Each structure stands twice: as C-alpha cells, then as structure tokens.
Amino acid sequence: MDKIVEKIVGLGIPGLILLVAINVSGYAGAAAITSSLAILGGPAGMLGGIGILGFSVYVSMAISKYSFDRIYTKTIEGLKEKGETKESINIKIDKYPISRSLKLKLKDLLENTHG
C-alpha cells in the first residue's frame, strides 16, 4: 500500500483527488478506479473523469503560481463585468458544495474586493 500511495503522491493534486474518490467509492482494485473515474466524470463517464483529473493539473498549477486570493479576485472582477452583483455571487457561494470555512473565506474576499 505504501508504494501505491507513493506513486499517487507523485501525481500531485490529481492523485489526491483520485485517492479520495477511490476511498469513497466503496470498491477495491480495478473496480474502485473505474467507478471513481466514472463518478468524477459525471455524464461523460470514465473519459470525463480522466479529463477532470487532467484539468485539475492546470488548476493546481495556476493556484500555486498565482495564489488562491489573486485567482479568486480576478474571478470576482470577471463576474462583476458580466453584471453579477455581490449579492448574487454570495448566493452562488452559499450553494457551492464546499466547506463552511472556505465559504467564509470566499465571502470575506468578496467583501474586500473593490470594483
């Protein structure tokens, strides 16, 4: 098991995402990987799951390069340019399936974002 975890750590964030999905799946072996990829991929199935893992590489690289706060601030600015209000963005944050602490951080950043 240690060797498997070592290989997954080598994959970085996508490996962690896959490891969590496998753990939650309730299956073992190849069935765990297959079902986890299918769950991650949603309607696109296993190929979609592989795409999600690939996309997560780019997201994690962007976060490490630019920081979460800067990416979030730019996203808020983009939403406001498209006509979103602080209230409508707050409503979206409330609906996201994320932790309470992250919701609070996002709302704090939203309140402190100018524009």
Side-chain angles (χ1 to χ4, degrees):
M1 186 66 165
D2 289 341
K3 288 188 178 199
I4 293 171
V5 171
E6 183 179 313
K7 299 292 183 190
I8 291 174
V9 168
L11 296 174
I13 297 297
L16 278 175
I17 292 170
L18 183 59
L19 185 63
V20 169
I22 288 171
N23 192 30
V24 171
S25 76
Y27 294 105
I33 295 171
T34 303
S35 65
S36 298
L37 288 173
I39 290 168
L40 289 172
M46 282 179 52
L47 290 177
I50 292 168
I52 293 292
L53 292 176
F55 180 71
S56 69
V57 170
Y58 294 106
V59 171
S60 63
M61 287 187 326
I63 290 172
S64 67
K65 184 175 180 181
Y66 298 109
S67 86
F68 175 79
D69 293 355
R70 186 168 174 201
I71 291 171
Y72 181 74
T73 301
K74 290 293 184 185
T75 303
I76 293 296
E77 290 171 4
L79 288 172
K80 287 181 178 179
E81 287 175 10
K82 290 182 178 181
E84 294 278 344
T85 64
K86 282 188 176 185
E87 293 77 22
S88 66
I89 296 170
N90 260 323
I91 290 169
K92 288 181 180 184
I93 291 171
D94 286 333
K95 291 181 180 180
Y96 291 152
I98 55 177
S99 70
R100 179 176 164 82
S101 61
L102 183 54
K103 285 182 182 184
L104 292 173
K105 179 173 179 137
L106 293 174
K107 288 182 175 197
D108 184 52
L109 287 170
L110 177 60
E111 287 303 314
N112 295 317
T113 302
H114 303 290

